[in-house]
Amino acid sequence: MSGLPGWLAGLGAGITRASQRLDERRKEAVADDLADEVVVATPRPERIPAPPAYAPAVVAKPDPISAIPWGMRVAAEAGWRLLVLAGTLWVLMRIISAVQLVVLAFVAALLVTAMLQPTVARLRRIGLPRGLATAVTAIAGFVIMGLVGWFVVWQVMDNLDNLSDRVRDGIEELKRWLLDSPFHVTESQINDIAKNLSDTIGTNTEEITSAGLQGVTVMVEILTGILLAMFSTLFLLYDGKRIWQWTLKLVPAQAREGVAGAGPRAWRTLTAYVRGTVIVALIDAIFIGIGIYFLDVPMAVPLAVFIFLFAFIPLVGAVISGALAVVVALVTQGVFTALMVLIVVLAVQQIEGHVLQPFILGRAVRVHPLAVVLAVAAGGLTAGIGGAVVAVPLVAVTNTVVGYLRVYSQEQALLAAPPPHGATIVEVAPGAVAVPEGAPGPQERE
């Protein structure tokens, strides 16, 4: 009986080892079954036979993006962006053409404000309140412009009968000159031209009448534009700073600082342009008016006023006003007087172009002549005489704004650049001069 516990202990240990071996065999069987399922679920790929030796080699096609030349890709990228800009500009021009009267009136108000604002500033400096200074300046400016317009109309109406008689005499003199000229013009040809002109006028009477009726509509639109320009000028003179601050709130915050800096510079450019153009136009009108007055050309004063007004259209206005003075001299005083008027006009315009404009306008509004011609042509085609008048100041202001924003963006890029590491300022500064070995540094020189 004493050996019974030892026998039971050995039997228990044997049963434990047998159960452990059974568990191990069961796990191995489960692993084998899973491996067989994976092998069955994943079929082996069939072997593809190699192509025969006589078959041509097939080259892989490149990526389409890499197949397009780099220059063509750049042109395409620039092309669609230009299309977007052109579409935006077209929509903007359509909107402007729909409200052309309002736009031209506001632009005219800006030009008049640029001319009158220095006077308001002077009156404010001597102690006048802002409202009183604005009222005095606006009333004086509008009265002067109205008197100039009334004077021109009065002179034309007062000299109309005398001018018609002189024109008739001038036409007879021109007819005699053509008959005696080497161009072999006969009297019958001249009479045929006069008859055709008379028949054309008689045939197109209805069109002329409708044009006169349209002229009434045009006059109403002109009066409306004048009233809009006057009210806009009053508000710009009185509250221009607040209007500009309100406009800045419409600009995105990231670009607001640059636009805030470009605005005053653009206004200074516009003011300099308007002031310089007024001075140059006044000098042209005075000297050309004095010349045609001493040459006994009729309506010398109205012609001088026309020369002053047309001077606001660069290049084209001087040609039109000068040609008008020459034609009036030709039909009233003859060929010799017309040649003398032409000499006076050309001399004054040459002095204006080479001396007055560079000296008075200066570098602030300097625009290339090609840009002036293209701007006047585009403005005239888009909005007539008003577009031709505002084209050049618009180009000058745009040139100033773009130049300032370019410099501002460069300065912002330099400020945002990380500071240099492991180098002195002398080594990284552009155009810096190397310090000779042994020379005292900046701190030692101090």
Side-chain angles (χ1 to χ4, degrees), residues 111-188:
L111 296 177
V112 176
T113 304
M115 182 172 58
L116 299 180
Q117 194 269 337
T119 304
V120 176
R122 292 191 187 94
L123 294 178
R124 292 286 306 277
R125 283 196 294 267
I126 63 177
L128 268 70
R130 181 174 59 180
L132 182 59
T134 301
V136 170
T137 304
I139 293 174
F142 293 150
V143 167
I144 291 174
M145 288 185 283
L147 288 176
V148 169
W150 170 81
F151 181 75
V152 172
V153 174
W154 172 62
Q155 284 291 311
V156 172
M157 297 301 296
D158 189 54
N159 293 278
L160 189 60
D161 296 334
N162 185 24
L163 180 63
S164 61
D165 296 335
R166 291 200 178 189
V167 168
R168 192 178 300 109
D169 296 338
I171 292 174
E172 292 295 331
E173 184 179 352
L174 182 61
K175 179 180 177 180
R176 290 192 298 269
W177 181 79
L178 289 174
L179 291 174
D180 297 335
S181 66
F183 298 110
H184 305 290
V185 180
T186 62
E187 187 173 1
S188 61

Side-chain angles (χ1 to χ4, degrees), residues 244 247-248 251-252 254-265 401 404-405 408:
W244 171 244
T247 306
L248 283 177
V251 180
Q254 294 180 350
R256 191 172 300 165
E257 186 176 354
V259 175
R265 289 167 175 79
V401 171
Y404 171 79
L405 292 179
Y408 175 79

Side-chain angles (χ1 to χ4, degrees), residues 205-224:
T205 304
E206 296 181 358
E207 286 78 1
I208 294 174
T209 305
S210 62
L213 294 177
Q214 292 178 359
V216 175
T217 306
V218 171
M219 288 301 299
V220 173
E221 291 181 353
I222 290 175
L223 291 176
T224 305

Side-chain angles (χ1 to χ4, degrees), residues 353-437:
H354 294 87
V355 178
L356 295 179
Q357 283 190 354
F359 179 74
I360 296 175
L361 294 180
R363 306 182 67 90
V365 293
R366 180 168 296 178
V367 181
H368 196 276
L370 179 60
V372 173
V373 173
L374 294 178
V376 171
L381 292 175
T382 304
I385 297 177
V389 171
V390 304
V392 176
L394 179 62
V395 171
V397 169
T398 304
N399 184 33
T400 300
V401 171
V402 171
Y404 171 79
L405 292 179
R406 182 174 61 250
V407 175
Y408 175 79
S409 62
Q410 293 174 355
E411 292 179 352
Q412 292 298 112
L414 291 176
L415 292 176
H421 298 283
T424 62
I425 191 62
V426 176
E427 294 174 354
V428 299
V433 180
V435 180
E437 185 176 357

